[in-house]
Amino acid sequence: MITVSVIGSGNVAQHLIKVFSKTTGIELVQAFARQPESLLHLLPYEKITNDYQKLQKADVYIISVTDNAIAEVSEQLPFKDQLVVHTSGTSAISILDSKNRKGVFYPLQTFSKNKEINFSSVPLCLETEDETDFQVLEKVAQAISEKVYRISSEQRRSLHVAAVFVCNFVNHLYYIGNEVCDKNNVPFEVLHPLIRETAQKIMELSPEEAQTGPAKRNDTKTINQHIEFLKDSKYQDIYKLLTQSIQDVSKKL
């Protein structure tokens, strides 16, 4: 049985608490939250603390806080020579205080508090400074996911940048599409089958092979009509930038 403590109460921390609480072979010893009531829907009060001095012994301490707070939190931990990891996609392993053994436990997924996640398919990107520590972290990861990878800090940074493009930016484009529909009294759900097919297609084809649309066809008449229709200069700029990028890629192929 590997014991784990989660330090944090945000989206990622809460999802980790949920999955560890129901995973065989992992014992969630404790969770730290500045406001314990934020975790009471997940854990009994006695398993939550807001005092670093009251953190109990665990095999792995997982810091799941904002990137700006990782260094400060790791400095405040009252113990030494324990395995302490963070869950950031961009922060290097070196950001952790050197009084403890360092690691990274990065789940590459988008997390929302009210959306359940099937952790078995979530890629977990691991890094440690010590091979023995890696084996411990790997056991924790394999207990909750079928997709476990050894990823360096530099590789993880590239993954996080790529993830912003394929997830966060794409979701913002959904927002724009939804707004265009709303303003024209068209239900956004009409686009749901297209969204699903686009996402599924990329599992079978490369992005270059999957690309379609007026930019790919160099259909300047349609492109100009779309730009004129949008009216909002910010959306016009986004449309033009993405159109040009698609056309630049097509020229290279």
Side-chain angles (χ1 to χ4, degrees):
M1 180 75 70
I2 299 177
T3 55
V4 172
S5 283
V6 174
I7 300 173
S9 58
N11 287 348
V12 176
Q14 292 201 20
H15 279 281
L16 288 174
I17 289 169
K18 286 180 185 177
V19 70
F20 286 143
S21 295
K22 60 184 180 182
T23 299
T24 303
I26 301 293
E27 179 186 354
L28 180 64
V29 174
Q30 198 177 30
F32 175 97
R34 295 187 186 278
Q35 298 178 323
E37 59 273 16
S38 65
L39 297 180
L40 285 176
H41 63 295
L42 298 175
L43 294 170
Y45 187 82
E46 59 270 19
K47 294 197 74 169
I48 308 169
T49 184
N50 61 358
D51 185 348
Y52 289 114
Q53 300 299 323
K54 294 182 179 179
L55 283 171
Q56 299 174 20
K57 174 71 174 176
D59 295 317
V60 184
Y61 296 87
I62 300 177
I63 298 177
S64 186
V65 298
T66 62
D67 283 30
N68 290 341
I70 293 172
E72 178 188 350
V73 170
S74 67
E75 288 173 3
Q76 293 188 58
L77 297 179
F79 42 73
K80 296 181 180 180
D81 198 32
Q82 302 300 311
L83 180 54
V84 176
V85 306
H86 68 65
T87 61
S88 168
T90 56
S91 293
I93 191 173
S94 59
I95 197 173
L96 294 165
D97 194 284
S98 58
K99 67 187 175 185
N100 284 298
R101 307 190 319 272
K102 304 175 184 180
V104 179
F105 190 88
Y106 170 51
L108 180 52
Q109 186 53 274
T110 173
F111 293 97
S112 298
K113 286 183 180 178
N114 298 321
K115 177 69 170 62
E116 291 298 321
I117 289 287
N118 177 11
F119 248 97
S120 65
S121 61
V122 174
L124 295 177
C125 303
L126 312 182
E127 182 182 8
T128 62
E129 294 181 321
D130 179 83
E131 184 60 29
T132 301
D133 287 338
F134 184 87
Q135 292 172 9
V136 173
L137 209 55
E138 187 177 43
K139 288 180 181 178
V140 175
Q142 290 174 340
I144 62 175
S145 175
E146 298 172 0
K147 300 182 181 294
V148 179
Y149 302 89
R150 186 193 294 260
I151 300 289
S152 71
S153 287
E154 188 62 27
Q155 289 173 318
R156 182 163 35 83
R157 190 176 295 113
S158 69
L159 272 174
H160 196 261
V161 172
V164 168
F165 275 98
V166 304
C167 175
N168 306 133
F169 288 169
V170 168
N171 190 74
H172 183 65
L173 295 180
Y174 291 157
Y175 169 84
I176 295 174
N178 185 67
E179 191 171 70
V180 171
C181 286
D182 282 349
K183 286 182 177 179
N184 292 276
N185 199 30
V186 177
F188 183 65
E189 66 183 38
V190 175
L191 293 172
H192 286 180
L194 176 63
I195 293 170
R196 281 193 294 268
E197 175 60 21
T198 304
Q200 183 59 43
K201 185 164 60 172
I202 208 63
M203 305 300 170
E204 303 171 14
L205 303 175
S206 70
E208 293 87 354
E209 293 172 319
Q211 187 67 60
T212 61
K216 172 73 173 179
R217 300 191 301 271
N218 197 29
D219 184 352
T220 55
K221 182 178 180 179
T222 298
I223 291 169
N224 290 332
Q225 287 177 342
H226 286 176
I227 293 171
E228 182 181 358
F229 176 84
L230 283 170
K231 302 294 191 297
D232 188 314
S233 61
K234 295 192 299 296
Y235 292 168
Q236 288 178 338
D237 288 343
I238 292 171
Y239 189 102
K240 290 176 184 177
L241 183 64
L242 291 175
T243 294
Q244 187 61 57
S245 184
I246 291 170
Q247 291 177 336
D248 289 346
V249 169
S250 295
K251 291 174 183 178
K252 295 177 183 178
L253 300 177

